[in-house]
Amino acid sequence: METTSSSNSNANNSSSAVLAPISDSGQSGATYWIRGIVFTALFAALFIAFGYVSIPLGFTTVPITLQTFAIMLAGGLLGARFGFWSIAIVIILTACGLPLLHGNGGIGVIFGATGGYIWMFPISALLIGLASDRIFARTKKLNRSQYVMLFISLVLFSVVLAYVGGVPWLAYKANYSFAKAMVNGCYPFLFGDMVKAIAATFLIAVLRPLLPKLR
């Protein structure tokens, strides 16, 4: 009887050992996606809200906004996957007609004079997320060179990429020369973009280690 009881006990323990990881893994996977969806929605809302902080300039159709700042934070804090979708969802819904970009929506917004900038937004978040994921892969506290790498990635993948897509399209839609498009759609915004990139670098460095793992 003792042997039988011991065998049953061992069998039960073995069954528990086999089943426990499956349960934990399932719960962990569900938690990952729930967190991801919640943070995606939050940063999509942040992107929309920052779009309403808009300062029109009299000489150009391109306003000063905080949208690029929201994109930097989305990619830098959420990583590539969720950072991309937090911005892409807003662009898709705007194209479907919801007034989510500066209170406007529809295909006309996506293909308007500022359309080239808008198309780059999700790609910017994706590339910033990839860079941020790599930088934070082995550390939670950045050293000086990693701060510089993060700042450079924000400038390249948010600021430069936005103008690569936005300026030629602005020139085409507004019938500007490339030089005039640069004057109207790039030069006046560069200083503000650098300030946003600096602020985003420090916020990402401080906040990312505090967020649940989403990569």
Side-chain angles (χ1 to χ4, degrees):
M1 291 295 292
E2 231 176 271
T3 306
T4 303
S5 175
S6 175
S7 299
N8 289 338
S9 176
N10 290 336
N12 289 335
N13 289 337
S14 299
S15 299
S16 298
V18 171
L19 292 175
I22 296 174
S23 175
D24 291 345
S25 175
Q27 186 177 5
S28 176
T31 301
Y32 170 84
W33 284 109
I34 291 169
R35 283 175 177 169
I37 291 168
V38 169
F39 277 106
T40 298
L42 285 174
F43 276 82
L46 183 71
F47 176 59
I48 294 168
F50 278 14
Y52 280 95
V53 182
S54 178
I55 304 173
L57 300 176
F59 59 89
T60 177
T61 57
V62 182
I64 295 174
T65 75
L66 290 179
Q67 283 178 319
T68 52
F69 187 54
I71 292 164
M72 292 175 190
L73 294 180
L77 293 175
L78 301 187
R81 177 184 294 161
F82 296 116
F84 169 81
W85 282 112
S86 67
I87 307 302
I89 286 171
V90 177
I91 304 305
I92 293 169
L93 292 176
T94 299
C96 292
L98 294 181
L100 301 180
L101 292 179
H102 316 296
N104 300 310
I107 293 295
V109 174
I110 303 301
F111 288 97
T114 58
Y117 301 96
I118 294 171
W119 305 336
M120 294 296 107
F121 288 165
I123 300 172
S124 292
L126 173 67
L127 294 177
I128 290 169
L130 289 172
S132 181
D133 286 344
R134 180 176 288 272
I135 291 169
F136 284 93
R138 296 181 181 178
T139 184
K140 289 185 177 181
K141 187 175 182 180
L142 303 186
N143 58 36
R144 184 178 298 177
S145 63
Q146 288 167 329
Y147 268 99
V148 173
M149 287 171 58
L150 180 58
F151 172 75
I152 291 173
S153 70
L154 294 177
V155 172
L156 286 178
F157 299 139
S158 180
V159 179
V160 175
L161 188 62
Y163 294 127
V164 166
V167 171
W169 183 256
L170 176 65
Y172 167 71
K173 291 294 290 185
N175 198 25
Y176 290 160
S177 66
F178 184 77
K180 186 174 181 180
M182 289 291 289
V183 170
N184 284 269
C186 176
Y187 298 144
F189 309 100
L190 288 176
F191 176 76
D193 288 335
M194 294 301 108
V195 173
K196 294 175 199 172
I198 292 170
T201 297
F202 285 99
L203 283 174
I204 292 166
V206 171
L207 295 178
R208 173 140 182 169
L210 304 179
L211 291 177
K213 257 192 173 181
L214 294 177
R215 59 188 190 279

